[in-house]
mmCIF file of all heavy atoms in Angstrom:
data_model
loop_
_atom_site.group_PDB
_atom_site.id
_atom_site.type_symbol
_atom_site.label_atom_id
_atom_site.label_comp_id
_atom_site.label_asym_id
_atom_site.label_seq_id
_atom_site.Cartn_x
_atom_site.Cartn_y
_atom_site.Cartn_z
ATOM 1 N N MET A 385 5.866 5.739 16.550
ATOM 2 C CA MET A 385 5.347 6.989 17.089
ATOM 3 C C MET A 385 5.619 8.165 16.144
ATOM 4 O O MET A 385 4.805 9.093 16.053
ATOM 5 C CB MET A 385 5.930 7.264 18.476
ATOM 6 C CG MET A 385 5.473 6.276 19.541
ATOM 7 S SD MET A 385 3.680 5.973 19.570
ATOM 8 C CE MET A 385 3.030 7.626 19.839
ATOM 9 N N GLN A 386 6.737 8.116 15.405
ATOM 10 C CA GLN A 386 6.992 9.164 14.415
ATOM 11 C C GLN A 386 5.940 9.115 13.310
ATOM 12 O O GLN A 386 5.435 10.154 12.862
ATOM 13 C CB GLN A 386 8.385 9.017 13.790
ATOM 14 C CG GLN A 386 9.523 9.324 14.755
ATOM 15 C CD GLN A 386 10.044 8.094 15.482
ATOM 16 O OE1 GLN A 386 9.244 7.337 16.055
ATOM 17 N NE2 GLN A 386 11.347 7.894 15.470
ATOM 18 N N ALA A 387 5.592 7.870 12.889
ATOM 19 C CA ALA A 387 4.589 7.719 11.836
ATOM 20 C C ALA A 387 3.215 8.172 12.320
ATOM 21 O O ALA A 387 2.448 8.782 11.570
ATOM 22 C CB ALA A 387 4.533 6.259 11.380
ATOM 23 N N ILE A 388 2.914 7.905 13.588
ATOM 24 C CA ILE A 388 1.619 8.319 14.143
ATOM 25 C C ILE A 388 1.566 9.831 14.315
ATOM 26 O O ILE A 388 0.526 10.463 14.087
ATOM 27 C CB ILE A 388 1.379 7.597 15.490
ATOM 28 C CG1 ILE A 388 1.115 6.097 15.235
ATOM 29 C CG2 ILE A 388 0.220 8.229 16.256
ATOM 30 C CD1 ILE A 388 0.995 5.258 16.489
ATOM 31 N N ALA A 389 2.693 10.423 14.689
ATOM 32 C CA ALA A 389 2.742 11.872 14.926
ATOM 33 C C ALA A 389 2.438 12.676 13.665
ATOM 34 O O ALA A 389 1.933 13.805 13.748
ATOM 35 C CB ALA A 389 4.110 12.267 15.482
ATOM 36 N N THR A 390 2.724 12.086 12.507
ATOM 37 C CA THR A 390 2.484 12.804 11.241
ATOM 38 C C THR A 390 1.099 12.521 10.679
ATOM 39 O O THR A 390 0.737 13.076 9.636
ATOM 40 C CB THR A 390 3.530 12.394 10.191
ATOM 41 O OG1 THR A 390 3.393 10.996 9.901
ATOM 42 C CG2 THR A 390 4.949 12.677 10.686
ATOM 43 N N ALA A 391 0.318 11.671 11.332
ATOM 44 C CA ALA A 391 -0.962 11.215 10.784
ATOM 45 C C ALA A 391 -2.149 11.957 11.392
ATOM 46 O O ALA A 391 -2.083 12.488 12.497
ATOM 47 C CB ALA A 391 -1.122 9.722 11.023
ATOM 48 N N ASP A 392 -3.239 11.978 10.609
ATOM 49 C CA ASP A 392 -4.532 12.455 11.111
ATOM 50 C C ASP A 392 -5.394 11.281 11.567
ATOM 51 O O ASP A 392 -6.292 11.448 12.403
ATOM 52 C CB ASP A 392 -5.295 13.199 10.008
ATOM 53 C CG ASP A 392 -4.485 14.317 9.403
ATOM 54 O OD1 ASP A 392 -4.063 15.211 10.167
ATOM 55 O OD2 ASP A 392 -4.245 14.291 8.169
ATOM 56 N N LEU A 393 -5.117 10.121 11.001
ATOM 57 C CA LEU A 393 -5.937 8.935 11.234
ATOM 58 C C LEU A 393 -5.018 7.717 11.323
ATOM 59 O O LEU A 393 -4.140 7.535 10.479
ATOM 60 C CB LEU A 393 -6.931 8.759 10.072
ATOM 61 C CG LEU A 393 -7.718 7.459 9.951
ATOM 62 C CD1 LEU A 393 -8.611 7.242 11.172
ATOM 63 C CD2 LEU A 393 -8.564 7.488 8.666
ATOM 64 N N VAL A 394 -5.205 6.895 12.345
ATOM 65 C CA VAL A 394 -4.363 5.709 12.550
ATOM 66 C C VAL A 394 -5.255 4.477 12.714
ATOM 67 O O VAL A 394 -6.192 4.482 13.520
ATOM 68 C CB VAL A 394 -3.463 5.858 13.793
ATOM 69 C CG1 VAL A 394 -2.663 4.572 14.037
ATOM 70 C CG2 VAL A 394 -2.526 7.049 13.631
ATOM 71 N N PHE A 395 -4.948 3.437 11.940
ATOM 72 C CA PHE A 395 -5.583 2.129 12.116
ATOM 73 C C PHE A 395 -4.538 1.170 12.692
ATOM 74 O O PHE A 395 -3.377 1.194 12.260
ATOM 75 C CB PHE A 395 -6.059 1.550 10.781
ATOM 76 C CG PHE A 395 -7.174 2.317 10.130
ATOM 77 C CD1 PHE A 395 -6.901 3.313 9.202
ATOM 78 C CD2 PHE A 395 -8.495 2.027 10.422
ATOM 79 C CE1 PHE A 395 -7.926 4.011 8.582
ATOM 80 C CE2 PHE A 395 -9.534 2.722 9.817
ATOM 81 C CZ PHE A 395 -9.250 3.715 8.887
ATOM 82 N N THR A 396 -4.934 0.335 13.630
ATOM 83 C CA THR A 396 -4.022 -0.694 14.126
ATOM 84 C C THR A 396 -4.617 -2.069 13.866
ATOM 85 O O THR A 396 -5.793 -2.316 14.128
ATOM 86 C CB THR A 396 -3.748 -0.534 15.634
ATOM 87 O OG1 THR A 396 -4.979 -0.600 16.356
ATOM 88 C CG2 THR A 396 -3.053 0.781 15.927
ATOM 89 N N SER A 397 -3.774 -2.952 13.346
ATOM 90 C CA SER A 397 -4.217 -4.313 13.024
ATOM 91 C C SER A 397 -3.017 -5.241 13.116
ATOM 92 O O SER A 397 -2.434 -5.641 12.114
ATOM 93 C CB SER A 397 -4.821 -4.355 11.617
ATOM 94 O OG SER A 397 -5.152 -5.674 11.255
ATOM 95 N N THR A 398 -2.619 -5.571 14.333
ATOM 96 C CA THR A 398 -1.473 -6.458 14.533
ATOM 97 C C THR A 398 -1.877 -7.627 15.428
ATOM 98 O O THR A 398 -2.943 -7.616 16.027
ATOM 99 C CB THR A 398 -0.290 -5.720 15.207
ATOM 100 O OG1 THR A 398 -0.522 -5.648 16.615
ATOM 101 C CG2 THR A 398 -0.094 -4.335 14.632
ATOM 102 N N GLY A 399 -0.986 -8.588 15.529
ATOM 103 C CA GLY A 399 -1.233 -9.753 16.374
ATOM 104 C C GLY A 399 -0.693 -9.597 17.785
ATOM 105 O O GLY A 399 -0.602 -10.583 18.522
ATOM 106 N N ALA A 400 -0.355 -8.376 18.174
ATOM 107 C CA ALA A 400 0.194 -8.139 19.520
ATOM 108 C C ALA A 400 -0.815 -8.550 20.584
ATOM 109 O O ALA A 400 -2.015 -8.329 20.441
ATOM 110 C CB ALA A 400 0.558 -6.669 19.687
ATOM 111 N N THR A 401 -0.320 -9.140 21.656
ATOM 112 C CA THR A 401 -1.206 -9.601 22.733
ATOM 113 C C THR A 401 -1.376 -8.564 23.836
ATOM 114 O O THR A 401 -2.197 -8.742 24.730
ATOM 115 C CB THR A 401 -0.665 -10.908 23.344
ATOM 116 O OG1 THR A 401 0.668 -10.687 23.819
ATOM 117 C CG2 THR A 401 -0.645 -12.023 22.306
ATOM 118 N N GLN A 402 -0.595 -7.481 23.773
ATOM 119 C CA GLN A 402 -0.703 -6.375 24.728
ATOM 120 C C GLN A 402 -0.815 -5.070 23.941
ATOM 121 O O GLN A 402 -0.356 -4.986 22.803
ATOM 122 C CB GLN A 402 0.530 -6.317 25.648
ATOM 123 C CG GLN A 402 0.728 -7.557 26.504
ATOM 124 C CD GLN A 402 -0.347 -7.692 27.564
ATOM 125 O OE1 GLN A 402 -0.882 -6.699 28.059
ATOM 126 N NE2 GLN A 402 -0.691 -8.931 27.916
ATOM 127 N N PRO A 403 -1.425 -4.018 24.524
ATOM 128 C CA PRO A 403 -1.514 -2.747 23.806
ATOM 129 C C PRO A 403 -0.135 -2.226 23.401
ATOM 130 O O PRO A 403 0.817 -2.276 24.177
ATOM 131 C CB PRO A 403 -2.176 -1.812 24.838
ATOM 132 C CG PRO A 403 -2.953 -2.723 25.722
ATOM 133 C CD PRO A 403 -2.134 -3.986 25.826
ATOM 134 N N ILE A 404 -0.048 -1.731 22.176
ATOM 135 C CA ILE A 404 1.220 -1.163 21.683
ATOM 136 C C ILE A 404 1.163 0.367 21.680
ATOM 137 O O ILE A 404 2.149 1.035 21.392
ATOM 138 C CB ILE A 404 1.551 -1.678 20.271
ATOM 139 C CG1 ILE A 404 0.419 -1.324 19.285
ATOM 140 C CG2 ILE A 404 1.794 -3.179 20.282
ATOM 141 C CD1 ILE A 404 0.733 -1.693 17.835
ATOM 142 N N LEU A 405 -0.017 0.914 22.011
ATOM 143 C CA LEU A 405 -0.197 2.361 22.028
ATOM 144 C C LEU A 405 -1.059 2.729 23.234
ATOM 145 O O LEU A 405 -2.112 2.131 23.462
ATOM 146 C CB LEU A 405 -0.887 2.800 20.721
ATOM 147 C CG LEU A 405 -0.989 4.305 20.437
ATOM 148 C CD1 LEU A 405 0.392 4.929 20.362
ATOM 149 C CD2 LEU A 405 -1.757 4.536 19.142
ATOM 150 N N ASP A 406 -0.597 3.698 24.006
ATOM 151 C CA ASP A 406 -1.366 4.135 25.177
ATOM 152 C C ASP A 406 -1.223 5.645 25.384
ATOM 153 O O ASP A 406 -0.550 6.336 24.609
ATOM 154 C CB ASP A 406 -0.940 3.371 26.431
ATOM 155 C CG ASP A 406 0.543 3.515 26.737
ATOM 156 O OD1 ASP A 406 1.170 4.482 26.235
ATOM 157 O OD2 ASP A 406 1.087 2.672 27.477
ATOM 158 N N ARG A 407 -1.847 6.137 26.429
ATOM 159 C CA ARG A 407 -1.848 7.572 26.699
ATOM 160 C C ARG A 407 -0.434 8.125 26.872
ATOM 161 O O ARG A 407 -0.096 9.179 26.326
ATOM 162 C CB ARG A 407 -2.677 7.836 27.956
ATOM 163 C CG ARG A 407 -2.647 9.289 28.406
ATOM 164 C CD ARG A 407 -3.441 9.498 29.687
ATOM 165 N NE ARG A 407 -3.318 10.864 30.154
ATOM 166 C CZ ARG A 407 -3.957 11.375 31.202
ATOM 167 N NH1 ARG A 407 -4.749 10.581 31.920
ATOM 168 N NH2 ARG A 407 -3.787 12.640 31.560
ATOM 169 N N ALA A 408 0.394 7.397 27.618
ATOM 170 C CA ALA A 408 1.742 7.891 27.903
ATOM 171 C C ALA A 408 2.542 8.098 26.617
ATOM 172 O O ALA A 408 3.232 9.120 26.458
ATOM 173 C CB ALA A 408 2.461 6.920 28.827
ATOM 174 N N LYS A 409 2.448 7.146 25.689
ATOM 175 C CA LYS A 409 3.196 7.268 24.424
ATOM 176 C C LYS A 409 2.681 8.444 23.605
ATOM 177 O O LYS A 409 3.462 9.173 22.987
ATOM 178 C CB LYS A 409 3.081 5.976 23.623
ATOM 179 C CG LYS A 409 3.919 4.831 24.172
ATOM 180 C CD LYS A 409 3.821 3.602 23.281
ATOM 181 C CE LYS A 409 4.695 2.478 23.828
ATOM 182 N NZ LYS A 409 4.585 1.240 23.007
ATOM 183 N N LEU A 410 1.359 8.625 23.579
ATOM 184 C CA LEU A 410 0.800 9.744 22.820
ATOM 185 C C LEU A 410 1.250 11.069 23.398
ATOM 186 O O LEU A 410 1.665 11.985 22.668
ATOM 187 C CB LEU A 410 -0.729 9.662 22.810
ATOM 188 C CG LEU A 410 -1.361 8.527 21.987
ATOM 189 C CD1 LEU A 410 -2.878 8.563 22.131
ATOM 190 C CD2 LEU A 410 -0.971 8.643 20.521
ATOM 191 N N GLU A 411 1.183 11.186 24.712
ATOM 192 C CA GLU A 411 1.555 12.461 25.340
ATOM 193 C C GLU A 411 3.045 12.739 25.192
ATOM 194 O O GLU A 411 3.458 13.902 25.139
ATOM 195 C CB GLU A 411 1.152 12.441 26.815
ATOM 196 C CG GLU A 411 -0.356 12.480 27.007
ATOM 197 C CD GLU A 411 -0.784 12.445 28.467
ATOM 198 O OE1 GLU A 411 0.011 11.975 29.311
ATOM 199 O OE2 GLU A 411 -1.903 12.898 28.748
ATOM 200 N N GLU A 412 3.843 11.682 25.090
ATOM 201 C CA GLU A 412 5.288 11.872 24.941
ATOM 202 C C GLU A 412 5.667 12.319 23.531
ATOM 203 O O GLU A 412 6.592 13.115 23.354
ATOM 204 C CB GLU A 412 6.003 10.564 25.275
ATOM 205 C CG GLU A 412 7.524 10.654 25.172
ATOM 206 C CD GLU A 412 8.203 9.314 25.452
ATOM 207 O OE1 GLU A 412 7.503 8.368 25.896
ATOM 208 O OE2 GLU A 412 9.427 9.220 25.215
ATOM 209 N N HIS A 413 4.935 11.821 22.536
ATOM 210 C CA HIS A 413 5.372 12.044 21.148
ATOM 211 C C HIS A 413 4.506 13.020 20.357
ATOM 212 O O HIS A 413 4.923 13.474 19.290
ATOM 213 C CB HIS A 413 5.413 10.710 20.401
ATOM 214 C CG HIS A 413 6.494 9.791 20.869
ATOM 215 N ND1 HIS A 413 6.316 8.887 21.886
ATOM 216 C CD2 HIS A 413 7.787 9.657 20.465
ATOM 217 C CE1 HIS A 413 7.441 8.220 22.083
ATOM 218 N NE2 HIS A 413 8.350 8.660 21.236
#
């Protein structure tokens, strides 16, 4: 979230089976 907070553009490409980023995390950080 620190890395995303400093970015203008974020790409996600992982093998996670559940979302790793959602509204709550964005609003918190």
Side-chain angles (χ1 to χ4, degrees):
M385 293 312 302
Q386 291 92 309
I388 290 174
T390 63
D392 306 302
L393 169 62
V394 176
F395 294 93
T396 59
S397 175
T398 81
T401 57
Q402 298 291 329
I404 58 175
L405 189 60
D406 57 20
R407 175 182 176 176
K409 286 183 179 178
L410 290 178
E411 290 179 338
E412 181 183 351
H413 291 89

